[in-house]
Amino acid sequence: MAVDLNLVSVFLAVAEAKSFRGAAERLGVTRPAVSQAIRRMEDRMGVALVQRTTRSVRLTEAGVKLHQRVAPAIAEVELALDTAQDRDAKPTGQLRLAVSSIAERFICGPLLASFMHAHPGVQIDITVTDEEFDIVAEGYDAGVRLGEVIAQDMIAVPVSGDQRQMVVAAPSYLERFGTPSHPTELSQHCCIGWRPAPETAPYRWEFEEDGREFDVAVNPRITTNDMWVMVRTACAGGGLTFGMEETFRPYIGRGELVPLLEAYCPPFSGFFLYFADRRNLSPKLRALIDHVRYRPPSDGRRGRFKS
């Protein structure tokens, strides 16, 4: 079937705006034109993509699957076209990045150093924060977070491969209090938990069993917003803690910490550099996106492009 990219663009606009009116305003066309384009696309494909009511528009199951497959591909094409423009414009100025605390190691270190060497005219200001906010409204150029918590209207480029969270404890703790064999036994142990801010509840530890996801409220004896307090306390035998495998790997390698309940800790999509608009990117942000896209993640695996 011949591909009409104009119809695909209309479909994506409807999927993202969740209304024909919003899609029409975004595309600069009339609402009937949007409706006719969607109808032509559905007729050509022989399947309904959008369910229309007098009050709302939502994608059918076929529409959801099409959007999941097409949106990343179109984002790649548009980003490539943007990148091809203004190649002679040297990246200059300050880039403001909001980076979650557990993602800090993926944007700092070799990746960041090599970018700064390649683009000496760019200065980078990094705020490490676990607060959820609109990066555009707060004046940030981009952010780095886990893919699963990035808003769907953002464009995201992987900076790591898949990640995994795990439970760890020091050998001295396990010798005294035993080793849990299932996540439900964690309530019987002294746990060291994480919270993003004083007024928020501690993070619930997440697991998976037989394809079913579940979480456990461990009622931690110690709670903090500092991962290194958690690591140091766990290494000292203070209890079990939960976090990213990448964080614990050096301590596991030295025998200071032991991984637990690994069968219940599957991998998931990793960290992404995300930004608000793929059009008219500044040369400095485009340079960072290019650097991230064409540099293998730290674990050697390519992540997936997310739209």
Side-chain angles (χ1 to χ4, degrees):
M1 183 182 71
V3 178
D4 188 332
L5 292 180
N6 290 325
L7 297 183
V8 173
S9 296
V10 174
F11 168 72
L12 291 177
V14 170
E16 293 168 4
K18 296 182 175 60
S19 75
F20 285 0
R21 183 184 299 278
E25 293 174 352
R26 179 177 300 185
L27 297 170
V29 299
T30 64
R31 185 181 179 281
V34 171
S35 180
Q36 292 169 14
I38 294 297
R39 188 173 293 110
R40 287 200 305 273
M41 190 170 179
E42 291 176 325
D43 290 343
R44 183 171 296 184
M45 296 184 63
V47 63
L49 301 173
V50 175
Q51 289 183 338
R52 313 162 179 80
T53 69
T54 56
R55 295 185 179 182
S56 65
V57 171
R58 69 184 184 90
L59 299 183
T60 63
E61 182 179 357
V64 170
K65 291 180 179 179
L66 180 64
H67 180 258
Q68 291 174 341
R69 297 292 298 274
V70 170
I74 294 297
E76 284 275 23
V77 171
E78 293 183 348
L79 190 56
L81 293 173
D82 282 336
T83 301
Q85 298 174 349
D86 299 329
R87 277 298 186 183
D88 294 334
K90 290 186 177 182
T92 59
Q94 185 184 74
L95 269 175
R96 297 189 68 213
L97 304 179
V99 181
S100 64
S101 60
I102 56 174
E104 182 266 346
R105 66 174 294 155
F106 295 99
I107 197 66
C108 295
L111 188 152
L112 190 61
S114 58
F115 174 78
M116 298 304 291
H117 288 312
H119 303 284
V122 178
Q123 302 87 44
I124 296 184
D125 181 88
I126 298 175
T127 297
V128 178
T129 176
D130 293 304
E131 294 183 24
E132 295 186 13
F133 56 84
D134 184 338
I135 60 172
V136 177
E138 296 298 324
Y140 289 91
D141 296 286
V144 179
R145 302 190 72 184
L146 285 173
E148 63 187 26
V149 298
I150 296 174
Q152 289 298 312
D153 60 348
M154 291 286 172
I155 310 304
V157 180
V159 296
S160 80
D162 288 348
Q163 300 296 307
R164 189 164 71 127
Q165 289 184 297
M166 61 167 47
V167 182
V168 295
S172 60
Y173 176 89
L174 300 177
E175 289 173 4
R176 292 183 61 191
F177 300 103
T179 302
S181 60
H182 192 275
T184 55
E185 298 175 12
L186 291 171
S187 61
Q188 304 169 22
H189 287 267
C190 179
C191 293
I192 306 162
W194 179 86
R195 53 162 173 71
E199 66 275 9
T200 58
Y203 178 78
R204 296 173 69 93
W205 296 9
E206 299 175 331
F207 303 95
E208 183 176 312
E209 183 176 21
D210 298 327
R212 179 182 63 88
E213 297 180 354
F214 65 99
D215 56 50
V216 176
V218 297
N219 298 319
R221 295 278 305 279
I222 300 174
T223 308
T224 178
N225 68 336
D226 189 325
M227 175 57 67
W228 305 115
V229 170
M230 297 167 62
V231 170
R232 288 192 295 268
T233 305
C235 287
L240 283 64
T241 195
F242 186 75
M244 303 301 294
E245 180 180 7
E246 285 285 341
T247 301
F248 300 138
R249 188 175 294 163
Y251 303 90
I252 294 173
R254 295 193 295 266
E256 297 178 62
L257 294 174
V258 176
L260 309 171
L261 305 174
E262 292 188 89
Y264 304 96
C265 302
F268 53 87
S269 181
F271 292 93
F272 290 77
L273 172 74
Y274 68 99
F275 49 98
D277 196 343
R278 66 176 69 93
R279 295 166 296 181
N280 301 319
L281 296 174
S282 65
K284 59 187 179 182
L285 180 55
R286 185 183 299 124
L288 180 60
I289 294 167
D290 282 350
H291 191 77
V292 167
R293 287 178 69 225
Y294 298 115
R295 182 181 184 277
S298 57
D299 61 1
R301 292 173 292 175
R302 291 299 296 169
R304 293 170 291 177
F305 189 94
K306 171 183 178 295
S307 177

